[in-house]
Amino acid sequence: MKCGIFRPAMRWAIVAFVGFMGLIHDPASFARDLDEIRKSGDLRICIVPLTPAYAVAQDPACRENCAFSGPVYREAAAVAASLGKGIRAVYHRIDWDEQFFNPSGQTDRDAVYTPRLLNCGKCDVYPSHLTKNGWRLKKLDFAVLFSSRMMVVVNRSKFGDMKTPASLAGKIAAVEKNTSYHTWLSEQNERAFSNAPVKVHLLSMDDSLAAVETGKADFTLVDVDIALWNTAHRSKDLVVAFPVGPVDEIGWAFRKVDRHLKDAVQTIFKRQSLDELSELNRIWKEEFGVTLIQMKALIHATK
């Protein structure tokens, strides 16, 4: 599949030419909507193992036709099975920022474009619990799985000093680049924290949590699903201090033109989230300790 990500050091003209030639010589790599997916029999699912609360790749070096475990993988398998008996899920591993790359291998928040991996057909869907926000809507459409809020996670030893959003000013944060957490902190540094900006260290999610555990960062931000998973599975030194930001919508991302695929997934989400005995609710109860129905009640209780 000729749809790799080119390194930033390469000139845009080379990137564009090679990408164009790749599409010419590999017709199967063109983006597909639901009808084409059903004809091919393959649903190309690109997972970001950002945190074990999303997924774990059995081979961390694998990029194509990978094996995973974890909540997002289990959700993806359940949705693929619900789309039709003739559809086989094919899983690829990508990095977080790759989900938004333009043809030159960069994320441009302000620009309107279809991300490269979706446009060339390597990926049909990004299922790794993406937050629906303004800059991503310039590039993607979303099927919403659940609502969430960002949770401030701190070391238990600092819990008493971190009780309100104002207490974050001037502190050290560790978050993943181009996540919704990074976006929120950037906005706050321009507004509420302009007199005492948060110093932001851009680390992987696991490294961000580890930095809080070891005291190298004062806090990190995670969505409530990740907070629940880490409460159940990770170090007891990490605690949730308080929520910040608005109620967000989180789900799977698609090309804007793939309306049939997006609508089909949204229908599955809606039907299964309301059924306590559904496969999605079973996965959530086992992985996060709550069903999607209970999650909704939790979010509204913490507004």
Side-chain angles (χ1 to χ4, degrees):
M1 193 177 294
K2 298 178 177 64
C3 187
I5 292 300
F6 294 89
R7 300 298 173 232
M10 297 181 70
R11 295 183 180 180
W12 186 91
I14 296 175
V15 170
F17 175 75
V18 174
F20 176 69
M21 292 303 292
L23 292 179
I24 289 177
H25 292 293
D26 187 12
S29 70
F30 286 110
R32 302 102 41 82
D33 198 2
L34 187 55
D35 287 344
E36 289 300 317
I37 289 168
R38 284 178 170 151
K39 288 176 184 176
S40 73
D42 289 340
L43 176 66
R44 300 166 188 169
I45 301 173
C46 289
I47 292 179
V48 181
L50 187 67
T51 164
Y54 287 172
V56 175
Q58 292 186 14
D59 177 3
C62 180
R63 293 287 288 180
E64 297 188 353
N65 299 308
C66 303
F68 291 91
S69 60
V72 166
Y73 162 72
R74 295 181 66 190
E75 291 167 0
V79 170
S82 296
L83 283 173
K85 293 182 179 179
I87 293 179
R88 179 179 71 100
V90 179
Y91 303 98
H92 304 315
R93 183 186 69 78
I94 61 174
D95 295 328
W96 183 264
D97 214 26
E98 285 183 276
Q99 296 176 110
F100 317 111
F101 276 177
N102 62 19
S104 59
Q106 297 177 333
T107 298
D108 186 342
R109 292 191 186 185
D110 296 326
V112 177
Y113 59 87
T114 299
R116 174 181 170 82
L117 292 182
L118 292 174
N119 199 45
C120 73
K122 176 165 186 173
C123 307
D124 294 318
V125 57
Y126 298 152
S128 300
H129 291 189
L130 284 85
T131 299
K132 181 180 175 181
N133 62 25
W135 70 265
R136 291 176 185 166
L137 284 169
K138 295 177 181 179
K139 304 160 179 58
L140 301 161
D141 202 357
F142 290 79
V144 175
L145 177 58
F146 63 97
S147 295
S148 182
R149 290 188 75 188
M150 291 180 288
M151 301 289 165
V152 176
V153 175
V154 303
N155 190 291
R156 188 178 296 277
S157 65
K158 296 186 178 182
F159 182 70
D161 299 325
M162 310 276 279
K163 293 185 176 180
T164 67
S167 66
L168 304 180
K171 298 293 195 301
I172 298 173
V175 293
E176 180 101 11
K177 182 180 179 182
N178 281 327
T179 55
S180 55
Y181 323 126
H182 184 199
T183 301
W184 186 83
L185 285 171
S186 298
E187 292 171 348
Q188 299 311 303
N189 277 346
E190 293 176 358
R191 301 169 189 169
F193 302 153
S194 59
N195 292 329
V198 172
K199 185 176 180 179
V200 181
H201 292 172
L202 297 176
L203 304 173
S204 71
M205 185 171 290
D206 273 356
D207 286 345
S208 295
L209 289 162
V212 174
E213 286 178 305
T214 59
K216 294 179 180 179
D218 296 309
F219 71 96
T220 188
L221 300 175
V222 296
D223 287 313
V224 68
D225 56 322
I226 301 172
L228 288 170
W229 191 93
N230 278 282
T231 298
H233 301 284
R234 199 180 169 106
S235 168
K236 299 302 181 184
D237 289 334
L238 297 175
V239 294
V240 174
F242 51 86
V244 294
V247 175
D248 292 316
E249 293 182 317
I250 294 180
W252 292 17
F254 307 82
R255 293 192 313 155
K256 285 182 172 293
V257 296
D258 293 341
R259 296 183 185 91
H260 294 101
L261 177 59
K262 186 266 293 184
D263 289 346
V265 172
Q266 187 67 76
T267 297
I268 293 167
F269 285 169
K270 183 176 181 180
R271 182 176 67 249
Q272 292 206 21
S273 65
L274 295 174
D275 178 2
E276 286 276 9
L277 301 178
S278 71
E279 181 66 7
L280 284 181
N281 271 319
R282 185 178 71 84
I283 291 167
W284 269 68
K285 186 67 174 179
E286 292 174 358
E287 296 284 356
F288 301 109
V290 297
T291 64
L292 287 161
I293 296 170
Q294 292 167 333
M295 166 74 106
K296 182 177 181 180
L298 174 65
I299 293 304
H300 289 290
T302 58
K303 277 188 178 182

